Amino acid sequence: MIWIHRLDGSEFMLNIDLIENVETKPDTIITLTNGKKIVTRESAEEIRRLVIEFKRQILSDRDSKEKELESRTDRS
Amino acid sequence: MGIITLLALIVGALIVVGSILFNGDPRWFTYWPGVAITVGGTACVALIAYPIRQIGHSTRVFFRMLQHGNPQPDEVYEQLLKVAKTARREGFVELKLKKSSDISYDFLKTGVDLLADGVDPDQILAIMDAKSSVISEEYLVGEKLFNTLGTVAPMWGLLGTVIGLILMLNNVDNPDLIPKAMAIAMVTTFYGIFMAALVMIPVAMKFKSFREKDEKIREMIIRGIMSIQSGDSTRIVQEKLQSYNNLR
């Protein structure tokens, strides 16, 4: 989920798994897999960065969780 | 366009008056009590059946229709394409500025506002659909009102005639006067039918045809706005709206 802004400035979280494509028209228009279109203030590049950032966060959490589990089993 | 309507109204009246004068005496067709019954009676029906505000509003709508003429799809089509161009070239937010100078049609202004605010497409559709229904309702009310009047005016004319006949048959002191009295009684029916045929029903039809044309234009606008919102190029928008423009 990433925080993005509609054209009028209102903020909301988008489920990135639903993103089918992002176009610059010149406004950024995200097309979801269900056909809905969302127009955002963030540029396409911004969206990409936000997605990567988000996934990185998840993975780093996973890595730190794994490390924690390993250290616990090692001790036993 | 209001000119043609006015002319047709005058010509219609002249035809009737002409055929009367052709072989007859206009005094045979003048009977003020008859006028009072048909006009007054019909007016009463209007006031009973519809709230007075609605009657006033419908009249204003009618004069507005005469003033503006039939809605022109090609003007709106051109404006929609302009909106599409601006949206694709400069973005939706820029539309806010261009609006007042380029767009003359209120419903289109609404659509452009929604675009410029970045409202969700579902919401845009819902809002424009709702607005469109209300606008159509306005014309429908006018149509119903004048259809009612057109149905009722001949009835009142007949009522007047029947009253006349009853009065006449009861006053048969001088049988030689019967034909004359009957002729006078008939005049009221004439008024009723004349009112309905030249004014009421045609005006109702005008409301209807205006509404239908306007609905098509609003449909085009909704399609156009949704198309622009979804990122379609100006070319695609044009293709989508082409057929509406050819409806002339």
Side-chain angles (χ1 to χ4, degrees), chain B:
Chain B
M1 185 226 68
I3 278 291
I4 297 187
T5 305
L6 238 42
L7 278 180
L9 195 64
I10 295 175
V11 167
L14 284 180
I15 289 175
V16 173
V17 172
S19 45
I20 291 174
L21 294 178
F22 188 69
N23 221 353
D25 189 342
R27 286 172 302 170
W28 299 340
F29 284 82
T30 321
Y31 184 56
W32 294 108
V35 176
I37 292 181
T38 26
V39 174
T42 308
C44 287
V45 169
L47 291 169
I48 294 174
Y50 297 96
I52 193 164
R53 182 168 294 158
Q54 212 168 69
I55 299 176
H57 186 62
S58 293
T59 326
R60 277 193 296 274
V61 170
F62 179 66
F63 285 115
R64 193 181 67 202
M65 291 192 313
L66 281 186
Q67 193 184 21
H68 287 243
N70 265 334
Q72 302 290 357
D74 31 345
E75 274 178 31
V76 181
Y77 174 75
E78 295 299 328
Q79 290 173 9
L80 261 172
L81 287 189
K82 252 196 222 164
V83 172
K85 249 186 218 139
T86 310
R88 285 298 85 84
R89 210 164 285 173
E90 303 164 44
F92 290 135
V93 183
E94 277 304 305
L95 287 175
K96 261 269 194 301
L97 307 169
K98 302 271 169 147
K99 223 192 358 161
S100 21
S101 45
D102 291 330
I103 301 170
S104 58
Y105 206 70
D106 273 340
F107 193 63
L108 182 53
K109 276 203 183 114
T110 310
V112 172
D113 267 331
L114 291 170
L115 270 186
D117 287 336
V119 178
D120 276 347
D122 298 333
Q123 300 281 51
I124 296 183
L125 188 57
I127 293 173
M128 293 188 85
D129 263 342
K131 252 207 160 134
S132 185
S133 296
V134 170
I135 297 177
S136 283
E137 190 63 33
E138 217 184 31
Y139 294 117
L140 255 175
V141 161
E143 184 185 332
K144 277 189 207 154
L145 170 65
F146 279 89
N147 264 326
T148 304
L149 294 184
T151 308
V152 145
M155 279 185 197
W156 276 88
L158 209 46
L159 180 63
T161 298
V162 163
I163 293 176
L165 288 178
I166 294 176
L167 291 180
M168 176 199 78
L169 291 172
N170 272 309
N171 281 340
V172 184
D173 301 323
N174 191 347
D176 290 331
L177 290 179
I178 290 184
K180 191 78 187 175
M182 211 160 196
I184 292 177
M186 295 272 113
V187 172
T188 312
T189 301
F190 160 73
Y191 288 141
I193 300 181
F194 182 56
M195 262 174 66
L198 187 63
V199 181
M200 307 303 178
I201 301 293
V203 169
M205 293 290 100
K206 194 171 202 58
F207 272 102
K208 181 173 188 195
S209 76
F210 201 88
R211 173 177 55 87
E212 286 173 348
K213 289 216 176 71
D214 206 55
E215 274 171 1
K216 271 283 167 260
I217 290 186
R218 276 180 267 130
E219 195 180 298
M220 172 176 72
I221 290 177
I222 293 182
R223 289 242 172 142
I225 295 288
M226 297 308 288
S227 171
I228 296 172
Q229 197 279 341
S230 69
D232 289 342
S233 64
T234 313
R235 175 93 186 126
I236 299 289
V237 175
Q238 192 172 359
E239 291 292 333
K240 284 185 180 175
L241 301 184
Q242 196 99 334
S243 35
Y244 285 101
N245 198 29
N246 298 336
L247 274 182
R248 284 258 122 242

Side-chain angles (χ1 to χ4, degrees), chain A residues 7-8 25-27 29 36-37 39, chain B residues 87-88 91-92 121-122 230-231:
Chain A
L7 281 189
D8 64 358
K25 287 279 199 173
D27 299 289
I29 302 186
K36 284 197 191 151
K37 309 259 183 181
V39 184
Chain B
R88 285 298 85 84
F92 290 135
D122 298 333
S230 69

